[in-house]
């Protein structure tokens, strides 16, 4: 396992870490037994960082992490998020009273005394402009409830705005072969500010595995069904903002990246890791096989300069015109 610095936090985290949205139960059918085995295997292989949220399975993902990391609290770092259990547009959701309550509930489910990284969960930009929530997070940090805090953002504009607050030590962003724009401005600015970068949806909700066809379907409780066009939350969170059929078509055009790298998923994550300002990728998983496949991304060959230029041109001409949900 390779490890990278999480910005200025002082934490050294596994460059391939894992998100727990899928095992929480929001990506179709999942079994706790499989999720726990996947977590245990990841830890055995050196993964020391996991990302979750209080709304993943209504807190169930946090509870699974508590089981998997019991007795390893000093070794395994956990990032969780808040605000989406309430009305994200209501300023009261970000008040000291409410945020403290969200934090205590997550601590209880995680069975921990302190949260390593506490993130605002994709708040509206007006909340970031107001900035009051950061004073609340500063107090939680002073009280020892959290060690560090950051923001999970939907767009580059939100990320750049978050970096204006000195206490923000990490950004969680959508960044993948179908969402390349952050490499131009946001990644350099984050690095200059000493903020770590967590990359979610590295496989664009599975499109970048290359396994889907235009007629592929998803379970009713899978966000790839109920949010395919942004019906429930930002459309950028599902298929990187691409219409599904178009995403399948574009993924076929990327099949060449597999050569010498084993699978499209490994190659897609390798491309992300080839950006040194990235702290880690956090793919999801439902079972041990997916954990093993994702971890292999660290060991495949990096992309050459010529390949990187080809992929950049592909994004600009073929992908960018079809992206929805901001960049």
């Amino acid at each position: 396992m390779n490890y990278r610095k999480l910005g200025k936090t002082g934490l050294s985290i596994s460059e391939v870490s894992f998100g727990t949205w899928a095992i929480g139960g929001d990506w179709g059918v999942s079994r706790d037994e499989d999720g726990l085995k996947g977590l245990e295997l990841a830890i055995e292989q050196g993964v020391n960082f996991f990302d979750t949220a209080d709304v993943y399975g209504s807190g169930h993902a946090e509870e699974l992490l508590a089981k998997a990391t019991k007795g390893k609290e000093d070794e395994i770092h956990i990032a969780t998020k808040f605000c989406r259990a309430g009305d994200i547009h209501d300023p009261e959701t970000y008040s000291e009273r409410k945020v403290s309550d969200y934090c205590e509930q997550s601590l209880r489910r995680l069975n921990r005394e302190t949260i390593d990284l506490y993130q605002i969960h994709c708040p509206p930009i007006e909340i970031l402009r107001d900035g009051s929530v950061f004073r609340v997070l500063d107090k939680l940090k002073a009280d020892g409830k959290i060690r560090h805090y950051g923001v999970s953002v939907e767009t580059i504009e939100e990320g750049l705005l978050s970096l204006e607050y000195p206490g923000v030590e990490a950004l969680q962003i959508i960044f993948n072969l179908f969402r390349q724009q952050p490499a131009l401005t946001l990644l350099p600015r984050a690095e200059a500010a000493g903020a770590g970068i967590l990359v979610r949806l590295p496989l664009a909700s599975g499109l970048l595995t290359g396994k889907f066809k235009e007629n592929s379907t998803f379970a009713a409780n899978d966000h790839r069904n109920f949010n395919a066009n942004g019906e429930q939350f930002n459309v950028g969170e599902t298929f990187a903002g691409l219409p599904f059929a178009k995403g399948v078509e574009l993924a076929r055009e990327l099949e060449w990246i597999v050569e010498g790298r084993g699978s499209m998923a490994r190659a897609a994550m390798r491309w992300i890791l080839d950006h040194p300002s990235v702290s880690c990728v956090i793919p999801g998983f439902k079972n041990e096989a997916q954990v093993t496949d994702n971890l292999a991304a660290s060991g495949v060959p990096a992309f050459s300069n010529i390949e990187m230029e080809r992929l950049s041109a592909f994004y600009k001409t073929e992908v960018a015109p079809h992206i929805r949900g901001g960049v």
Side-chain angles (χ1 to χ4, degrees):
M1 176 59 67
N2 298 319
Y3 298 87
R4 301 187 182 194
K5 292 180 180 178
L6 180 60
K8 59 188 177 184
T9 65
L11 298 177
S12 178
I13 62 174
S14 42
E15 67 177 14
V16 177
S17 294
F18 286 94
T20 58
W21 193 7
I23 63 172
D26 298 317
W27 288 61
V29 177
S30 62
R31 299 196 319 156
D32 286 355
E33 180 182 359
D34 293 334
L36 286 169
K37 285 181 178 178
L39 289 170
E40 290 165 4
L41 176 61
I43 293 169
E44 288 172 5
Q45 295 299 312
V47 174
N48 70 343
F49 183 82
F50 295 93
D51 176 77
T52 190
D54 57 3
V55 290
Y56 291 174
S58 300
H60 188 55
E62 289 181 327
E63 294 169 343
L64 290 176
L65 276 171
K67 292 180 180 179
T69 63
K70 186 175 182 180
K72 304 182 179 72
E73 290 83 1
D74 294 335
E75 307 164 32
I76 308 301
H77 309 301
I78 291 179
T80 193
K81 313 183 198 74
F82 72 94
C83 84
R84 292 197 163 251
D87 178 353
I88 64 170
H89 297 283
D90 184 356
E92 175 62 19
T93 298
Y94 307 90
S95 67
E96 182 177 343
R97 181 183 68 84
K98 289 295 292 185
V99 177
S100 295
D101 184 50
Y102 293 141
C103 183
E104 290 295 342
Q105 289 183 49
S106 284
L107 285 168
R108 176 181 54 78
R109 287 188 293 264
L110 290 166
N111 196 22
R112 292 189 172 216
E113 296 182 0
T114 307
I115 294 169
D116 296 304
L117 177 65
Y118 204 34
Q119 303 161 100
I120 316 173
H121 197 172
C122 300
I125 197 164
E126 59 266 23
I127 296 299
L128 296 174
R129 289 196 180 107
D130 173 78
S132 300
V133 66
F134 296 108
R135 291 192 291 274
V136 173
L137 291 169
D138 283 331
K139 187 174 187 306
L140 283 178
K141 188 174 179 180
D143 291 343
K145 296 295 183 179
I146 64 176
R147 291 192 172 92
H148 311 282
Y149 65 79
V151 189
S152 180
V153 298
E154 303 279 9
T155 67
I156 291 170
E157 183 183 8
E158 292 166 357
L160 293 173
L161 181 57
S162 298
L163 291 174
E164 295 180 8
Y165 298 94
V168 172
E169 295 182 274
L171 291 179
Q172 185 175 140
I173 67 172
I174 303 171
F175 181 52
N176 56 54
L177 284 166
F178 287 156
R179 290 289 287 263
Q180 297 187 26
Q181 200 69 15
L184 300 179
T185 53
L186 187 54
L187 296 190
R189 288 280 292 276
E191 187 171 15
I197 292 287
L198 315 179
V199 174
R200 72 180 183 277
L201 298 171
L203 302 179
S205 305
L207 280 177
L208 289 168
T209 65
K211 297 177 180 178
F212 295 153
K213 297 181 180 179
E214 283 85 352
N215 62 354
S216 295
T217 58
F218 304 94
N221 65 335
D222 189 322
H223 77 101
R224 293 173 292 185
N225 179 326
F226 65 75
N227 195 60
N229 295 297
E231 294 90 341
Q232 298 296 320
F233 42 83
N234 190 295
V235 69
E237 294 288 346
T238 304
F239 304 126
L242 287 168
F244 177 67
K246 186 64 180 179
V248 172
E249 175 190 329
L250 291 169
R252 287 199 194 99
E253 296 184 40
L254 288 175
E255 289 177 352
W256 64 269
I257 68 175
V258 176
E259 186 174 356
R261 298 185 179 95
S263 72
M264 186 177 286
R266 296 175 189 177
M269 286 190 285
R270 179 69 261 172
W271 178 86
I272 297 168
L273 293 172
D274 284 344
H275 294 78
S277 51
V278 167
S279 303
C280 71
V281 293
I282 48 173
F285 70 97
K286 287 186 179 180
N287 53 53
E288 292 172 289
Q290 291 174 350
V291 167
T292 298
D293 193 49
N294 287 330
L295 287 176
S298 282
V300 302
F303 285 84
S304 67
N305 289 337
I306 292 175
E307 288 176 317
M308 293 293 269
E309 290 170 5
R310 179 179 175 183
L311 289 166
S312 177
F314 170 75
Y315 169 75
K316 291 174 184 175
T317 61
E318 303 297 324
V319 181
H322 302 283
I323 293 293
R324 304 165 297 172
V327 293

